[in-house]
Amino acid sequence: MLTFTIITCTYNAAAEIERTLESVRTQTYPNIQHVIIDGASTDGTVKMIQDYQERCAYKDRSRSIMAISAKDHGLYDAMNKGLALTDGDYLVFLNAGDTLHSEDTIAKIADQLTTCYKDKGEMPGVVYGKTDIVDDEGRFLHARRLKAPEKLTWRSFMNGMLVCHQAFYAKASIARQIKYNLKYRFSADVDWCIRVMKETEERHLPLHNTHLTLCNYLEGGMSVKNHRASLIERFRIMAKHYGIVQTSMMHLWFCVRRNGR
């Protein structure tokens, strides 16, 4: 049976963390490892995580929950710590305020993978799907504007981050070898996803489209709050992977399209 690792990074997230923890706790699929990396919160987040560990230990001993709380060097440093602790077959990042779309999200993914690839040897290098945007209360606002393509490749992200990070499940044996680049403060997730997909292609593994809505993403993430700096970083990342000429032409087209609306 496939095992999934969910990595949650937190810092002073008491206002948002509860629904994220409950989303994982109530999954119908049993083989889930939950790795929680807290940056030494002081607002009650750590106590909420400890309570969550106790509830899960009482309810379901098949779940593995690992939580650490210590100072770090930001979100992407925390994500790298989470990668190092992963022992599942697939991993996904689900941060405070974000939730899995439904109680059977992981079960549906596992069923698809088992059904589609049981006789094909290697499992996909990346599994992906759609995303809904929710408000601070977890209420649905709208589907994510950028849509996951029918067939995703590492070149697809030239058109923007078409798959939300929280709907991007990476094969752990690949992901553990690819660390987040800490020189990027706001968009290291874009760079990481591209490098994971590049490695997937090098290994001749497929990328699997679930055609499912996999996560509810909290509106107003870090890159939104630091929009200008994030855009500059994304340009640098895209230029690194796709070349400065193609990246410049694509950004010019974005500007023309936006002004033409």
Side-chain angles (χ1 to χ4, degrees):
M1 180 177 278
L2 291 170
T3 301
F4 293 80
T5 297
I6 299 171
I7 303 173
T8 300
C9 299
T10 65
Y11 179 68
N12 287 344
E16 301 92 12
I17 188 64
E18 183 63 30
R19 67 171 174 266
T20 303
L21 300 178
E22 280 298 292
S23 170
V24 179
R25 188 183 71 83
T26 56
Q27 286 297 297
T28 59
Y29 191 80
N31 283 18
I32 295 175
Q33 176 198 29
H34 198 180
V35 175
I36 306 170
I37 309 296
D38 179 73
S41 294
T42 58
D43 69 338
T45 298
V46 175
K47 177 63 165 60
M48 296 173 76
I49 294 170
Q50 291 170 342
D51 290 345
Y52 164 71
Q53 287 181 288
E54 292 177 4
R55 291 198 305 273
C56 286
Y58 176 78
K59 176 189 175 186
D60 189 349
R61 296 185 183 275
S62 70
R63 296 288 172 90
S64 168
I65 302 172
M66 182 180 299
I68 62 173
S69 182
K71 288 185 178 181
D72 53 46
H73 299 290
L75 176 60
Y76 298 120
D77 181 42
M79 288 181 166
N80 281 339
K81 290 181 180 180
L83 286 174
L85 297 173
T86 298
D87 63 15
D89 297 301
Y90 285 91
L91 65 87
V92 67
F93 288 89
L94 194 71
N95 292 331
D98 304 325
T99 63
L100 296 158
H101 185 66
S102 62
E103 292 184 355
D104 60 352
T105 292
I106 301 295
K108 287 178 177 177
I109 296 172
D111 182 63
Q112 281 195 16
L113 293 178
T114 302
T115 301
C116 295
Y117 298 95
K118 64 181 178 180
D119 297 324
K120 296 182 180 180
E122 285 280 6
M123 289 285 186
V126 171
V127 179
Y128 66 99
K130 296 176 284 188
T131 300
D132 282 345
I133 308 299
V134 299
D135 65 14
D136 289 340
E137 301 298 322
R139 293 173 299 213
F140 172 80
L141 294 175
H142 55 83
R144 188 169 183 261
R145 181 180 62 82
L146 293 177
K147 305 299 183 184
E150 181 63 29
K151 291 188 177 180
L152 182 71
T153 75
W154 68 268
R155 297 170 185 82
S156 301
F157 275 30
M158 184 182 294
N159 297 301
M161 195 168 184
L162 301 183
V163 177
C164 181
H165 199 196
Q166 287 79 351
F168 185 97
Y169 288 67
K171 192 175 178 68
S173 59
I174 295 174
R176 280 192 296 264
Q177 299 177 17
I178 300 175
K179 304 299 183 185
Y180 287 84
N181 190 332
L182 300 187
K183 77 177 182 182
Y184 301 124
R185 295 182 58 206
F186 308 113
S187 300
D189 52 339
V190 180
D191 175 67
W192 183 82
C193 287
I194 293 171
R195 287 189 289 136
V196 167
M197 289 187 287
K198 279 186 171 181
E199 182 63 26
T200 293
E201 183 177 283
E202 292 219 0
R203 297 190 187 193
H204 305 290
L205 297 176
L207 282 76
H208 178 77
N209 186 352
T210 65
H211 297 98
L212 300 171
T213 301
L214 300 182
C215 77
N216 302 323
Y217 178 74
L218 179 62
E219 185 180 44
M222 184 172 68
S223 62
V224 174
K225 295 174 183 176
N226 299 277
H227 186 61
R228 180 178 173 80
S230 175
L231 287 177
I232 293 171
E233 274 196 359
R234 288 191 183 207
F235 185 90
R236 289 167 53 202
I237 290 167
M238 290 177 68
K240 180 182 75 171
H241 290 289
Y242 306 120
I244 187 68
V245 174
Q246 281 189 296
T247 300
S248 298
M249 291 178 64
M250 184 58 68
H251 277 70
L252 179 61
W253 165 241
F254 288 157
C255 292
V256 170
R257 185 176 62 183
R258 186 179 299 113
N259 292 334
R261 287 181 177 177

